[in-house]
Coordinates of all heavy atoms in Angstrom, one line a residue:
E193 N 0.9 -1.2 0.0 CA 0.0 0.0 0.0 C 0.9 1.2 0.0 O 1.7 1.4 0.9 CB -0.9 0.0 1.2 CG -1.8 1.2 1.2 CD -3.1 1.1 2.1 OE1 -3.6 0.0 2.1 OE2 -3.5 2.1 2.7
R194 N 0.7 2.1 -1.0 CA 1.6 3.2 -1.2 C 0.7 4.5 -1.1 O -0.4 4.6 -1.6 CB 2.2 3.2 -2.6 CG 3.0 4.4 -3.0 CD 3.5 4.4 -4.4 NE 4.3 3.2 -4.7 CZ 4.8 2.8 -5.9 NH1 4.4 3.5 -6.9 NH2 5.5 1.8 -6.0
L195 N 1.3 5.5 -0.4 CA 0.7 6.8 -0.4 C 1.8 7.8 -1.0 O 2.9 7.9 -0.5 CB 0.4 7.3 1.0 CG -0.3 8.6 1.2 CD1 -1.6 8.7 0.4 CD2 -0.6 9.0 2.6
S196 N 1.4 8.3 -2.2 CA 2.4 9.2 -3.0 C 2.1 10.6 -2.8 O 0.9 11.0 -2.6 CB 2.3 8.8 -4.4 OG 2.6 7.5 -4.7
Y197 N 3.2 11.4 -2.8 CA 3.0 12.9 -2.5 C 3.6 13.7 -3.6 O 4.6 13.2 -4.3 CB 3.8 13.2 -1.2 CG 3.3 12.5 0.0 CD1 3.7 11.2 0.3 CD2 2.4 13.2 0.9 CE1 3.3 10.6 1.5 CE2 2.0 12.5 2.1 CZ 2.4 11.3 2.4 OH 2.0 10.6 3.5
T198 N 3.1 14.9 -3.8 CA 3.7 15.8 -4.7 C 4.3 16.9 -3.9 O 4.5 16.8 -2.7 CB 2.6 16.4 -5.7 OG1 3.3 17.2 -6.7 CG2 1.6 17.2 -5.0
Y199 N 4.6 18.1 -4.5 CA 5.3 19.2 -3.8 C 4.4 19.6 -2.6 O 3.2 19.5 -2.7 CB 5.5 20.3 -4.8 CG 6.5 20.1 -5.9 CD1 6.0 19.8 -7.2 CD2 7.8 20.0 -5.6 CE1 6.9 19.6 -8.2 CE2 8.7 19.8 -6.7 CZ 8.3 19.5 -8.0 OH 9.2 19.3 -9.0
G200 N 5.1 20.1 -1.6 CA 4.4 20.6 -0.4 C 3.9 19.4 0.4 O 3.0 19.7 1.3
D201 N 4.4 18.2 0.2 CA 4.0 17.0 0.9 C 2.4 16.8 0.9 O 1.8 16.4 1.8 CB 4.4 17.1 2.4 CG 5.5 16.1 2.7 OD1 6.0 15.5 1.8 OD2 5.8 15.9 3.9
R202 N 1.9 17.1 -0.3 CA 0.4 16.9 -0.5 C 0.2 15.5 -1.0 O 0.7 15.1 -2.1 CB -0.1 17.9 -1.5 CG -0.2 19.3 -0.9 CD -0.9 20.2 -1.9 NE -0.1 20.4 -3.2 CZ -0.6 20.3 -4.4 NH1 -1.9 20.1 -4.6 NH2 0.2 20.5 -5.4
P203 N -0.6 14.7 -0.3 CA -0.9 13.3 -0.8 C -1.8 13.4 -2.1 O -2.8 14.1 -2.1 CB -1.6 12.7 0.4 CG -2.2 13.8 1.1 CD -1.3 15.0 0.9
V204 N -1.4 12.7 -3.1 CA -2.2 12.7 -4.4 C -2.5 11.4 -5.0 O -3.1 11.3 -6.0 CB -1.4 13.6 -5.4 CG1 -1.5 15.1 -5.1 CG2 0.0 13.2 -5.6
E205 N -2.0 10.3 -4.3 CA -2.3 9.0 -4.8 C -2.3 7.9 -3.7 O -1.4 7.9 -2.9 CB -1.3 8.5 -5.9 CG -1.5 7.1 -6.4 CD -0.3 6.5 -7.0 OE1 0.8 6.6 -6.4 OE2 -0.4 5.8 -8.1
V206 N -3.4 7.1 -3.6 CA -3.4 5.9 -2.8 C -3.3 4.7 -3.8 O -4.1 4.6 -4.7 CB -4.6 5.8 -2.0 CG1 -4.7 4.4 -1.3 CG2 -4.7 6.9 -0.9
R207 N -2.3 3.9 -3.6 CA -2.1 2.7 -4.5 C -2.1 1.5 -3.7 O -1.2 1.4 -2.8 CB -0.9 2.9 -5.4 CG -0.7 1.7 -6.4 CD 0.6 1.9 -7.2 NE 0.5 3.1 -8.0 CZ 1.0 3.2 -9.3 NH1 1.5 2.1 -9.8 NH2 0.9 4.3 -9.9
R208 N -2.9 0.5 -4.0 CA -2.9 -0.8 -3.4 C -2.5 -1.8 -4.4 O -3.2 -2.0 -5.4 CB -4.2 -1.1 -2.7 CG -4.5 -0.2 -1.6 CD -6.0 -0.1 -1.2 NE -6.3 0.8 -0.2 CZ -7.5 1.3 0.1 NH1 -8.6 0.8 -0.5 NH2 -7.7 2.1 1.1
G209 N -1.4 -2.5 -4.2 CA -0.9 -3.4 -5.2 C -0.7 -4.8 -4.6 O -0.3 -5.0 -3.5
W210 N -1.1 -5.8 -5.4 CA -0.9 -7.2 -5.0 C 0.1 -7.8 -6.0 O -0.1 -7.8 -7.2 CB -2.3 -8.0 -5.1 CG -3.2 -7.6 -4.0 CD1 -3.5 -8.3 -2.9 CD2 -4.1 -6.5 -4.0 NE1 -4.5 -7.7 -2.1 CE2 -4.9 -6.6 -2.8 CE3 -4.3 -5.4 -4.9 CZ2 -5.8 -5.6 -2.4 CZ3 -5.3 -4.5 -4.5 CH2 -6.0 -4.6 -3.3
Y211 N 1.2 -8.4 -5.4 CA 2.3 -8.8 -6.2 C 2.5 -10.3 -6.1 O 2.5 -10.9 -5.0 CB 3.6 -8.2 -5.7 CG 3.7 -6.7 -5.9 CD1 2.8 -5.8 -5.3 CD2 4.6 -6.1 -6.8 CE1 2.9 -4.4 -5.5 CE2 4.7 -4.8 -7.0 CZ 3.9 -3.9 -6.4 OH 4.0 -2.6 -6.6
V212 N 2.8 -11.0 -7.2 CA 3.2 -12.4 -7.3 C 4.7 -12.4 -7.2 O 5.4 -11.8 -8.0 CB 2.7 -13.1 -8.5 CG1 3.2 -14.5 -8.6 CG2 1.2 -13.0 -8.7
T213 N 5.3 -13.0 -6.2 CA 6.7 -13.0 -6.0 C 7.4 -14.3 -6.2 O 8.5 -14.5 -5.8 CB 7.0 -12.5 -4.6 OG1 6.4 -13.3 -3.6 CG2 6.6 -11.0 -4.4
T214 N 6.7 -15.3 -6.8 CA 7.4 -16.5 -7.3 C 8.4 -16.1 -8.3 O 8.1 -15.6 -9.4 CB 6.4 -17.5 -7.8 OG1 5.3 -17.7 -6.9 CG2 7.1 -18.8 -8.1
D215 N 9.7 -16.4 -8.1 CA 10.8 -16.0 -9.0 C 11.1 -14.5 -9.0 O 11.9 -14.1 -9.8 CB 10.5 -16.5 -10.4 CG 10.4 -18.0 -10.5 OD1 11.0 -18.7 -9.7 OD2 9.7 -18.5 -11.4
F216 N 10.4 -13.8 -8.2 CA 10.6 -12.3 -8.2 C 10.7 -11.9 -6.7 O 10.3 -12.6 -5.8 CB 9.4 -11.6 -8.8 CG 9.5 -11.6 -10.3 CD1 9.2 -12.7 -11.1 CD2 9.9 -10.4 -11.0 CE1 9.3 -12.7 -12.4 CE2 9.9 -10.4 -12.4 CZ 9.6 -11.6 -13.1

């Protein structure tokens, strides 16, 4: 789960990712 920020520490994206990590 990622919270991304732009200038001024303003949050502009919530990203929830599910990753397959077999061989990765």
Side-chain angles (χ1 to χ4, degrees):
E193 181 160 324
R194 174 187 301 172
L195 184 57
S196 301
Y197 299 83
T198 188
Y199 295 106
D201 249 9
R202 289 184 295 135
V204 287
E205 179 202 41
V206 172
R207 181 180 299 217
R208 295 160 182 166
W210 287 261
Y211 291 68
V212 179
T213 56
T214 308
D215 299 331
F216 282 73

